Amino acid sequence: MSSFLDALARVPPLLAQHVLVSMAALLLGILIAVPLAFACARRPGLSRVALGLASLVQTIPALALLALFYPLLLSLSGLVGGGIPALGFLPSLLALTLYALLPILRNGVTGLAGLDPAVLQAADAVGMTRAQKLRLVEAPLVAPVLAAGIRTAAVWTIGAATLSTTVGQPSLGDMIFAGLQTQAWALVLAGCVAAAALALGVDALIGVIERGLATRRKGLWIGGLVALALGCALATQPLWPRGSQQRREVVIGAKNFSEQYILARLIGDRLARAGYAVSYRDGLGSAVAFEATAGGRVDVYVDYAGTLWTTAMHRQDSPPRAAMLGALQQWAATRDVAMLGPLGFENAYAFATKAPVAQRLGVRSLADLARVAPRLKLGSDLEFLDRPEWAAVRDAYGLRFAGQTPYSPTFMYRALESGRADVISAFSSDGRIAADRLVVLGDPKRAIPGYDAVLLVAKDRAADAAFVEALRPMLNRIPVEVMREANYRVDRDDAAKGSPEAAARWLAKRVGL
């Protein structure tokens, strides 16, 4: 129970962001869909096209729709010389707005088509102009039907907004994604409860507005509208400006696995002690985290040399560690990102299997694995099979598996344990390798590059001496054995399981930070 209460304490700032993006999208959807519905009612051809396009949008998974706006906005920004954010609020707003259109538009068109022709003819007979007929007859009659569509759109939008976490927009999805990756079910439950309560509350208030419109009770629908506005204002209270504190706020990014959450909290604790107000952007993809830092929307995060080397720099060679870090630092500087330095450990991709499987098959290296791979199933994280590292390893050793299935990192280890996967693309600093007594297969051809954990800082923050000094003691300070133990404190699922915050405090004490 206490862990659930602790999780609830994280809700207010994320709820504020969630309300901001979802209500902004709903409002924009209303502003687009309502006039379009009236236009469609008078032009059947336009109605077919508009409803067809809105329906087509609904067939696209919300996560894919959010992701598609990243390259779209990036290209658009390039065409106009920059300045258009491809991550965070804008892509979330646009994707959620598109999701909100269909129920409002369809209800509006259906409601207008169902108006009694005799009423419309009566309006014409008394000499009403087109604008008068719209304002005094059509709009009041169709308003309850439109409100019903807005209720549906509101629930859809609030639910889909949890996915905006993946494009760098804070939301209640931060808690859900983080909880799934660290098996912190209290965090998942708190995020779901908060999102559901928000959706039900907004649905109920719009329902009051709908009843007021249907029964022509002006006080009821105005009261519902005022209550909705006050509720949104209250929920977004954590975002209100707070004078000088606003200038010292920093944003710490983290990808979607335990080690990233722990390191983000370790960084956050140090910056908080240095006097900064800290907020987190959890659950970011690799490309999203780097681009958000380059654009100044994230101030600092930890990435891995091999990840940047292969996916961002598009390098396929595997140079010595020092040469790779030097080249990486120079390249990052050209992208408005400063690399402060390595943290002291590597988190490389490593193929692992259970000890009995390795013994039965007689495999100790990737060269051995290639011989038996056609009989085995590979489990990987969600990114690995699309990364150049996989192509490099596959081609270097001729690996061809009977099946390949991506999982979230947490469930990848469960898949190996349950036998759904025979081999997984593990992480070398993961504490579960030692805890589960897994065998890590050797890479004699050095097909996998080095993966030093490195501290990356946005260009503007690199000029902040207090900020840099707070982080510099972390460099070359964390041995891989200690990082593994910290990770295992979060990833284990027994009574000793801890939160990323607790693991970060333990890590700081263990390495003397």
Side-chain angles (χ1 to χ4, degrees):
M1 188 63 184
S2 62
S3 59
F4 180 68
L5 294 177
D6 291 343
L8 284 180
R10 294 178 57 178
V11 166
L14 295 175
L15 177 65
Q17 295 279 1
H18 200 105
V19 169
L20 180 66
V21 71
S22 55
M23 290 299 104
L26 181 63
L27 182 60
L28 189 55
I30 293 171
L31 292 176
I32 295 171
V34 171
L36 187 58
F38 281 97
C40 287
R42 293 176 172 80
R43 300 176 181 83
L46 177 62
S47 176
R48 285 192 291 273
V49 172
L51 285 171
L53 290 175
S55 299
L56 179 64
V57 168
Q58 293 294 326
T59 66
I60 303 173
L63 188 60
L65 190 62
L66 282 159
L68 285 173
F69 269 102
Y70 172 67
L72 187 64
L73 291 174
L74 205 61
S75 301
L76 186 60
S77 183
L79 287 175
V80 300
I84 299 177
L87 298 168
F89 184 82
L90 182 59
S92 304
L93 174 69
L94 296 176
L96 294 174
T97 298
L98 289 179
Y99 250 65
L101 288 180
L102 181 62
I104 305 172
L105 181 61
R106 189 176 292 282
N107 274 38
V109 171
T110 303
L112 287 166
L115 293 181
D116 188 345
V119 174
L120 301 178
Q121 289 169 5
D124 292 332
V126 298
M128 283 188 179
T129 64
R130 196 167 189 175
Q132 287 174 323
K133 191 166 75 172
L134 172 66
R135 180 169 58 86
L136 299 174
V137 179
E138 293 174 318
L141 291 175
V142 83
V145 185
L146 270 173
I150 292 170
R151 286 180 71 178
T152 303
V155 173
W156 287 8
T157 304
I158 291 170
T162 56
L163 299 173
S164 62
T165 291
T166 56
V167 292
Q169 169 61 29
S171 75
L172 292 168
D174 289 21
M175 300 173 67
I176 297 171
F177 279 95
L180 285 173
Q181 296 305 324
T182 62
Q183 299 183 68
W185 306 122
L187 209 56
V188 177
L189 184 60
C192 290
V193 167
L198 175 63
L200 291 174
V202 171
D203 179 67
L205 289 174
I206 300 178
V208 170
I209 298 170
E210 181 188 350
R211 282 196 300 278
L213 292 170
T215 58
R216 307 292 178 88
R217 294 162 65 187
K218 193 173 181 181
L220 190 60
W221 71 261
I222 290 179
L225 202 59
V226 171
L228 183 62
L230 288 176
C232 290
L234 188 63
T236 55
Q237 185 270 341
L239 302 179
W240 296 358
R242 286 177 174 75
S244 59
Q245 185 181 356
Q246 193 78 356
R247 294 195 296 272
R248 288 181 64 83
E249 182 174 351
V250 295
V251 178
I252 302 169
K255 301 187 197 181
N256 59 351
F257 50 95
S258 301
E259 183 172 287
Q260 286 278 311
Y261 299 134
I262 295 169
L263 292 171
R265 270 63 191 176
L266 178 63
I267 293 169
D269 289 346
R270 294 193 62 79
L271 290 174
R273 288 202 299 274
Y276 292 90
V278 173
S279 62
Y280 299 94
R281 299 286 184 275
D282 291 334
L284 305 177
S286 295
V288 170
F290 185 84
E291 292 299 334
T293 307
R297 289 175 294 281
V298 165
D299 292 293
V300 57
Y301 84 107
V302 174
D303 212 324
Y304 304 93
T307 299
L308 297 170
W309 188 259
T310 55
T311 61
M313 296 175 69
H314 305 295
R315 296 282 294 263
Q316 296 182 344
D317 52 332
S318 184
R321 175 175 179 266
M324 176 184 285
L325 291 176
L328 182 59
Q329 189 168 33
Q330 292 179 6
W331 172 83
T334 66
R335 303 292 303 272
D336 291 339
V337 175
M339 190 182 93
L340 289 191
L343 296 178
F345 71 93
E346 274 193 81
N347 185 0
Y349 275 112
F351 285 76
T353 185
K354 291 190 287 189
V357 174
Q359 187 175 12
R360 174 167 53 83
L361 297 175
V363 295
R364 299 180 61 84
S365 69
L366 292 176
D368 298 332
L369 181 64
R371 178 172 44 81
V372 295
R375 291 186 278 142
L376 304 179
K377 292 169 289 185
L378 172 67
S380 73
D381 67 64
L382 297 172
E383 293 184 12
F384 182 68
L385 294 176
D386 294 315
R387 292 174 64 111
E389 294 97 320
W390 163 236
V393 173
R394 181 194 59 203
D395 296 343
Y397 293 97
L399 290 172
R400 299 291 183 273
F401 288 94
Q404 299 170 176
T405 306
Y407 299 89
S408 69
T410 295
F411 296 118
M412 179 179 69
Y413 285 89
R414 293 294 180 87
L416 183 64
E417 181 185 354
S418 66
R420 293 182 64 85
D422 301 300
V423 182
I424 59 171
S425 57
F427 309 108
S428 62
S429 64
D430 198 315
R432 287 170 290 196
I433 289 178
D436 296 345
R437 299 182 179 177
L438 303 183
V439 174
V440 176
L441 305 180
D443 176 20
K445 295 184 180 180
R446 297 187 70 242
I448 301 175
Y451 278 80
D452 280 272
V454 293
L455 203 52
L456 300 179
V457 177
K459 180 181 178 183
D460 290 345
R461 284 297 179 188
D464 183 340
F467 183 91
V468 172
E469 284 309 307
L471 301 179
R472 197 172 291 284
M474 294 176 61
L475 302 181
N476 295 304
R477 196 68 169 269
I478 305 174
V480 68
E481 296 82 7
V482 178
M483 194 67 240
R484 278 183 189 146
E485 189 170 348
N487 289 336
Y488 188 56
R489 284 171 174 263
V490 175
D491 292 331
R492 65 194 307 167
D493 52 8
D494 56 18
K497 178 181 179 63
S499 66
E501 290 80 5
R505 291 192 293 272
W506 175 88
L507 178 60
K509 185 177 180 181
R510 183 72 172 74
V511 299
L513 285 171

